[in-house]
Amino acid sequence: MVDKKNRLTTSSGAPVGDNQNSITAGRRGPTLIQDVHLLEKLAHFDRERIPERVVHAKGAGAHGYFEVTNDEISKYTKADFLSEKGKRTPMFIRFSTVAGEAGSADTVRDPRGFAVKFYTEEGNYDLVGNNTPIFFIRDAIKFPDFIHTQKRNPQTHLKDKNMVWDFWSLSPESLHQVTYLHGDRGIPATYRHMNGYGSHTYKWVNEDGEKFWIKYHFVSDQGVKGLDEKVADELAGTNPDYHTEDLFNAIDKGDYPSWTLYVQVMPYEDAKTYKWDPFDVTKTWSKKDYPRIEVGKMVLNRNPENYFAEVEQAAFSPAHFVPGVEASPDKMLQGRLFSYSDTHRYRLGVNHEQIPVNRPVNETNNYQRDGYMRVDGNGGSKYNYEPNSYDHLPKEDESTKIEPFEIEGVADSMPYSHADHYTQAGDLYRLMSDEGKERLVNAVVGHLGQCTMEEVKLRQIGHFYKADPDYGERVAKGLGLEVPAEVKA
Ligand code: HDE
């Protein structure tokens, strides 16, 4: 007799008598359909996979906390979780690569996702960023095409450098991020040795209704370190889970990684006149113009108990704001406000917010009901409509409305008015040491060299040249080509 507490059961709780031998008619079978434990076991196994994330499919997660270290930050935002020095908020983070599938190698050259969920007392605040302060494109309408070029060729099912560089060379706004990606930060040493950025501009609103534009920077307390491309390539073969393993082991042995959060704060009116469009995610703001202000510290101190439950089912969304933090008009951010919760409804279902890792710590209270996998009591006997005459039913709180803001212009499909894609990419190049430039050029040549379309290579060389003639000349030389005369003219 097995202790009752330790008994193997079916999912309806009935004890299982034999988990090694199916019930057969005679010793040789066939198998009887009345072996309901066998049927349930196979049927559940058949449904174990859910759709992987369409991007950022490979990742690792951890729990931790965020603690405010600067009392002054409430000058800029009324966000409750940032209201006072010493305030701690539990959080969960997921790091990821972008283009690879769920089982792909960690050490590839790719941006890394840096998705943070703060479980605040006023609901979850998700800051879904990357380890790069910029992005390849600046309008959500281009994202599905861009990602198609990063994924697999529709016929060969191979990664396709022609698709990648064709798209990039025809989308010069990508040049800044292409340069960043092929530099030393393109392959982080570990998830612990990289910074995180909100990338977009967000809006903060304080208690007096004053508005500010802000950018988030999580600076790694472990330092920023890259991985040599050769070592990274080798690791992709010998230990494709290198970064996942590193994060788990560090936390497991009590070596808790941490990041210091800073913000750049831009006075609201400056957005009209700043030399860069502050809502263009392909550009940064100068730290001289808007110095970083410390906000607090994020510490990761607990590994997930179960990968699928906590990491695979984690659902981050840039649409998860809290009072005091609002969207900016950034056209990429605006698209993301739709896309994430939409993909979660597909991947995890309409009630995905009830999965423990996604559940806010405060009580949710609304008139939404029913749907697949509603597991929280569904509002019980409470009425499910509004307006109503009952004081005990949920009421809107006007004090949490967004801060009104003015808009201008005509509605149309329009590009951004700033079209200089070269200055900041060139500045980044010029900031690199001689060896850094050498590694960048080698990485570009190694990658672009696999593109077989000469017109694409020449077009892309033209972009590098316009960022910095030395950059263009060196890439051209590496590829055995000349910078096109019309670019030099
Ligand atoms: Fe994402 N992105 N993205 N993205 N993204 C997703 O959401 C999308 C963008 C980022 O660890 C998806 O849950 C659109 C920028 C991270 O679970 C999807 C656009 C930045 C993660 C999606 C962008 C990111 C995602 C896929 C252009 C950095 C992983 C599965 C408008 C600032 C989150 C999912 C995690 C994941 C859409 C661009 C970061 C499809 C439409 C820019 C870290 O919703």
Side-chain angles (χ1 to χ4, degrees):
M1 274 280 281
V2 178
D3 181 345
K4 273 197 180 161
K5 283 204 297 268
N6 210 16
R7 265 182 179 172
L8 179 72
T9 74
T10 62
S11 26
S12 52
V16 172
D18 191 334
N19 193 34
Q20 305 304 317
N21 304 293
S22 44
I23 303 175
T24 52
R27 194 160 286 279
R28 284 193 150 169
T31 308
L32 293 186
I33 206 163
Q34 82 163 66
D35 190 347
V36 289
H37 168 57
L38 168 72
L39 302 189
E40 177 188 284
K41 190 173 174 182
L42 291 179
H44 196 276
F45 173 72
D46 294 342
R47 289 162 180 77
E48 279 185 4
R49 290 293 163 271
I50 61 170
E52 67 173 31
R53 290 167 175 83
V54 62
V55 281
H56 295 264
K58 175 77 185 285
H63 297 269
Y65 65 86
F66 179 77
E67 182 169 330
V68 179
T69 52
N70 181 356
D71 243 342
E72 300 274 283
I73 216 68
S74 54
K75 272 200 327 219
Y76 304 111
T77 176
K78 61 182 174 189
D80 176 66
F81 80 111
L82 300 176
S83 57
E84 54 184 326
K85 194 171 166 180
K87 180 143 189 156
R88 270 197 187 189
T89 301
M91 41 89 29
F92 182 74
I93 192 162
R94 181 173 177 273
F95 302 111
S96 50
T97 51
V98 180
E101 295 84 9
S104 58
D106 285 343
T107 55
V108 292
R109 190 177 292 285
D110 202 10
R112 299 299 189 276
F114 198 103
V116 186
K117 188 182 284 294
F118 299 96
Y119 300 95
T120 90
E121 289 156 35
E122 295 201 306
N124 290 347
Y125 174 45
D126 292 356
L127 188 52
V128 196
N130 275 342
N131 71 334
T132 63
I134 45 179
F135 200 71
F136 299 94
I137 51 169
R138 52 184 181 167
D139 192 319
I141 205 163
K142 294 183 73 161
F143 189 70
D145 298 291
F146 165 61
I147 292 302
H148 288 168
T149 71
Q150 296 285 310
K151 294 274 184 178
R152 291 174 183 276
N153 175 300
Q155 179 181 25
T156 60
H157 200 57
L158 299 172
K159 292 288 174 94
D160 187 327
K161 299 294 187 288
N162 285 356
M163 293 178 3
V164 169
W165 289 99
D166 193 21
F167 182 90
W168 280 344
S169 69
L170 291 168
S171 307
E173 70 271 29
S174 64
L175 185 66
H176 195 192
Q177 173 81 323
V178 166
T179 302
Y180 201 98
L181 179 65
H182 290 84
D184 289 342
R185 293 190 178 195
I187 316 178
T190 76
Y191 283 138
R192 297 177 297 125
H193 292 92
M194 62 185 204
N195 292 345
Y197 301 90
S199 309
H200 302 286
T201 295
Y202 287 94
K203 191 192 289 167
W204 270 5
V205 181
N206 69 12
E207 287 291 355
D208 301 326
E210 276 178 288
K211 302 188 280 282
F212 305 88
W213 301 115
I214 63 120
K215 278 194 184 287
Y216 294 98
H217 300 240
F218 284 94
V219 176
S220 167
D221 294 332
Q222 292 69 240
V224 172
K225 260 205 277 180
L227 205 56
D228 174 76
E229 186 148 34
K230 278 209 183 69
V231 177
D233 285 349
E234 221 174 273
L235 277 168
T238 55
N239 185 358
D241 306 317
Y242 181 71
H243 287 163
T244 308
E245 185 179 53
D246 171 84
L247 181 69
F248 191 92
N249 287 348
I251 295 174
D252 200 43
K253 63 172 195 259
D255 179 11
Y256 301 143
S258 65
W259 283 259
T260 305
L261 176 64
Y262 297 86
V263 280
Q264 286 180 286
V265 180
M266 178 187 283
Y268 195 70
E269 293 303 316
D270 282 20
K272 295 188 177 132
T273 51
Y274 190 52
K275 57 191 175 190
W276 299 104
D277 185 332
F279 310 123
D280 172 351
V281 71
T282 64
K283 308 292 181 296
T284 54
W285 305 349
S286 152
K287 291 196 205 84
K288 285 201 199 92
D289 297 338
Y290 302 105
R292 287 169 167 176
I293 303 172
E294 187 174 319
V295 181
K297 201 169 265 306
M298 171 175 87
V299 180
L300 305 183
N301 59 3
R302 182 160 61 89
N303 275 318
E305 245 347 274
N306 182 281
Y307 184 86
F308 183 86
E310 291 154 74
V311 188
E312 193 58 18
Q313 295 198 115
F316 299 89
S317 173
H320 290 166
F321 289 114
V322 288
V325 189
E326 297 180 10
S328 78
D330 178 330
K331 297 178 193 187
M332 286 283 283
L333 174 62
Q334 292 282 320
R336 296 180 73 207
L337 297 179
F338 163 71
S339 194
Y340 289 66
S341 297
D342 183 54
T343 205
H344 303 326
R345 289 178 197 113
Y346 164 68
R347 202 169 67 83
L348 303 164
V350 68
N351 285 313
H352 60 271
E353 309 280 21
Q354 292 171 31
I355 297 170
V357 69
N358 300 325
R359 209 183 288 149
V361 289
N362 57 326
E363 208 177 309
T364 55
N365 207 8
N366 59 44
Y367 297 97
Q368 295 167 21
R369 295 290 187 275
D370 309 352
Y372 281 116
M373 298 306 297
R374 184 86 199 205
V375 293
D376 68 344
N378 198 29
S381 59
K382 286 187 200 157
Y383 284 129
N384 54 359
Y385 66 91
E386 207 190 18
N388 60 52
S389 317
Y390 302 100
D391 286 346
H392 70 285
L393 292 180
K395 298 281 172 288
E396 64 210 13
D397 175 356
E398 255 191 56
S399 72
T400 66
K401 274 176 70 169
I402 63 157
E403 203 55 36
F405 59 96
E406 65 290 350
I407 49 170
E408 58 181 29
V410 292
D412 196 0
S413 307
M414 282 177 280
Y416 278 83
S417 46
H418 289 56
D420 172 5
H421 304 307
Y422 302 106
T423 304
Q424 288 205 1
D427 287 346
L428 179 59
Y429 178 77
R430 288 180 286 274
L431 209 70
M432 294 180 188
S433 64
D434 278 350
E435 303 78 54
K437 284 180 183 152
E438 188 71 21
R439 287 191 293 273
L440 164 72
V441 169
N442 286 341
V444 169
V445 168
H447 199 203
L448 181 53
Q450 296 172 55
C451 167
T452 57
M453 297 163 75
E454 185 150 318
E455 63 173 294
V456 168
K457 289 190 206 171
L458 292 173
R459 197 188 295 133
Q460 188 65 40
I461 288 170
H463 295 315
F464 292 135
Y465 185 90
K466 285 190 214 160
D468 191 297
D470 179 59
Y471 189 9
E473 294 285 4
R474 283 164 79 167
V475 171
K477 188 163 170 239
L479 293 170
L481 294 167
E482 296 282 334
V483 177
E486 67 272 17
V487 177
K488 286 183 158 183

